[in-house]
Amino acid sequence: MSELTLVIANKSYSSWSLRPWLALKQTGTPFDEVVIPLRHPETAAKIVQWSPAGRVPVLRHGGVTIWESIAILEYLAELFPAANLWPADPAARAHARSISAEMHAGFTALRSNMPMNLRRHLPGRGRTPEVEKDIARITALWRDGRERFGSGGPFLFGSFSNADAMYAPVVTRFQTYGVTLDAACRDYADAILDLPAMRAWYADAAAEPWTIAEYGPD
């Protein structure tokens, strides 16, 4: 049994679960994984066994319990400094935290109209004017990050960072809903999708026996 346990929801649909899972995978550290499917009669009771907040994801590290994806990402950055989950340069690090916080708190139109669903290709669905504004802002952030900080690799700040973990679920949404991307954003999205951990997440999602109708057709 590992010292670390990450409690998550359905891989097909849970964007918040993907974020810390992907970051933890990038550290190379083994961890135990508990999947609690959503929308089941016993879901709430199972989750509260891990955290009184009643939500996933939850990270347990010995006697420490961390909930909320962005708090887990911060904890992992401190626990595994060699993984460089935040950029070393102060300006780049501040920028990475800023765009991560914007992702955490914003883009509600995109979340509502284009829910994460890894099992289907639904081009054009959910493209309201508000969603178009969210897409424009996100792709502008991606281009800006790549142009200003991305010279050292294919990710927003060169090497993989927590900012990439925060935006990885958006990459899956753009894939599912057929959002056309310019060359720079397409290259970035492909780099996320090509991560071995992302391929593993997709494979696990495809094998899940559960479906949630409100997240889109399966």
Side-chain angles (χ1 to χ4, degrees), residues 127-141:
R127 299 292 287 272
T128 68
E130 293 77 16
V131 169
E132 295 292 351
K133 290 179 182 178
D134 281 352
I135 292 171
R137 173 59 180 163
I138 289 167
T139 53
L141 287 173

Side-chain angles (χ1 to χ4, degrees), residues 85-171:
L85 289 175
W86 290 120
D89 175 73
R93 186 165 63 251
H95 191 80
R97 283 195 165 106
S98 294
I99 67 171
S100 296
E102 184 173 353
M103 181 72 254
H104 185 265
F107 306 118
T108 55
L110 181 74
R111 301 179 198 278
S112 299
N113 291 282
M114 296 168 64
M116 182 165 149
N117 186 340
L118 302 192
R119 294 175 165 182
R120 285 294 179 264
H121 186 54
L122 305 168
R125 181 169 298 202
R127 299 292 287 272
T128 68
E130 293 77 16
V131 169
E132 295 292 351
K133 290 179 182 178
D134 281 352
I135 292 171
R137 173 59 180 163
I138 289 167
T139 53
L141 287 173
W142 288 1
R143 287 191 296 271
D144 181 57
R146 292 289 303 137
E147 289 170 7
R148 294 172 59 191
F149 305 108
S151 61
F155 301 105
L156 293 177
F157 295 85
S159 59
F160 183 92
S161 75
N162 279 337
D164 300 299
M166 288 299 295
Y167 282 89
V170 178
V171 171

Side-chain angles (χ1 to χ4, degrees), residues 30-46:
F31 62 96
D32 294 326
E33 178 184 309
V34 176
V35 179
I36 300 177
L38 301 175
R39 307 295 193 272
H40 285 220
E42 67 277 12
T43 297
K46 287 185 176 180

